[in-house]
Amino acid sequence: MSPAQAGMALPILVLCLGHIFSNAVRTIPAMAADVLMRDLGLSAEALAQITGAFPLAFAAVMIPVGIALDRFGVQRVALGLLVVAGFGAVLGAVATGPWSMLLAQVVLGAGCSGMLMCPITFAARGLSTARFAVWSGVIQAVGNTGMLLSASPLALLVEAVDWRAGFWACAGIAALALPLVALLVPRDRPEAQPPRSLAEDVRDVARMAAQPALRGVMVFVFASFAAVLGLRGLWGGPWLMEGKGLDRVAAGNVLLACTVALTIGPLLAGLVLRRIGHARALLAGSHLLCAGFILLIIGGGPGGWLAEAMGRPMLPVAWDAALLVAFGAIISFQVLAFSIVRSAVPPQQAGRALSAANLFFFLGAAVFQALSGVMAGWGGPAAALATFAVGLFVCSLAFLALRPR
């Protein structure tokens, strides 16, 4: 590693604090769904709709964030987003009903919209394509530790205090990150560009997403993060507690194992890509496999097709744990999508192109989360989980069909 690359490591890791915050705050419902519904007077479908406002707001702000990264630089954008996100966490902590929690989710979604893009863009501008492939995995891995906090630790916190303490803890992460970003992340100065209107910038991002080299990736990521947020962020806890009869802490331990895999997976993905290449095959294969994992989890549940085939009322929790760990490790190959996007555009357009991809990540999450809520109202957590399996299958096949010729 050159001195210049070594000097980038600390700013990148400091910027990852925002990504840690984002992953922690958006996965709180998985461990607190029952008490959230009780205290806020929500049904399962209503909770899915309200928490679905987070990725929807995230997606709505994503294009302006990408433009701001290219116009104003990473440090200033990161500081602004941390202020908004910290305020959203406070709103979540003091929410008293559906509308106040909806407002909190909207503010949090807007504030978290650039938490991954800030370190990713900073790395994309200062590293070679090969180094970026590794560092994108590091960034995702470090950021995913936020989900470690919202597994067993959050379950214990909810049992000892209440769900509001989880939001207060996230507000503390934002408060810690603000001075560190201000002190340790250099104020980058993007290259001067001709004056452009916001509408022109938005059209530019849309044109990027429609490029033959990128449109397949945009379709692919539409279901990718949706599945992570659906399993780890919302329906994994209810499935384990309602379907498998676990208490909150035991369910948190299972999701903790899944989260460890989600943390290690991006590092593994970057190393595998460097060794064998074939990013597109790795992306499609990993997500088709994960669709199968979800169906196997459902099949092992009460009255599931696999449990019935084996003559059992349901398969043991160890079955779910093993599949969730495998899911966490393999779905993490989604990080390779950023390498494909990065290699398709010049460095000065990296912020917009990467933000366009992240837009589709979270727009898909919003759509599938809302759909999963409808399915949960019809068939419970199993039907909600099946929504994401179908999405992974369809979008992965479309990605292969749309690959550049």
Side-chain angles (χ1 to χ4, degrees), residues 31 148-157 232 249 252-256:
M31 279 291 89
L148 294 174
L149 301 176
S150 64
S152 299
L154 177 63
L156 292 168
L157 189 61
R232 178 58 190 85
V249 175
N253 290 336
V254 173
L255 292 180
L256 180 64

Side-chain angles (χ1 to χ4, degrees), residues 297-373:
I297 290 171
I298 298 169
W305 59 270
L306 185 57
E308 288 186 352
M310 300 178 69
R312 306 181 65 171
M314 65 179 179
L315 297 186
V317 173
W319 172 257
D320 301 78
L323 287 170
L324 284 169
V325 168
F327 174 87
I330 303 302
I331 198 71
S332 298
F333 277 67
Q334 65 191 198
V335 73
L336 301 183
F338 291 121
S339 296
I340 294 176
V341 173
R342 166 65 181 82
S343 63
V345 299
Q348 64 269 23
Q349 294 180 344
R352 302 178 198 210
L354 292 167
S355 294
N358 216 28
L359 166 67
F360 278 79
F361 264 116
F362 278 84
L363 185 59
V367 170
F368 279 106
Q369 187 122 322
L371 182 58
S372 74

Side-chain angles (χ1 to χ4, degrees), residues 16 25 36 83 87 93 126 131 166 176 187-188 219 307 337 346 363 378:
C16 284
V25 79
L36 276 169
V83 171
F87 179 60
R131 287 284 183 187
L176 171 66
R187 176 166 289 190
D188 49 330
V219 172
L363 185 59
W378 170 70

Side-chain angles (χ1 to χ4, degrees), residues 7 36 51 102 170 197 233 237 246 251 253 260 339 377 403:
L36 276 169
T51 55
L102 177 63
C170 289
S197 69
L246 299 186
N253 290 336
V260 170
S339 296
R403 66 186 184 277

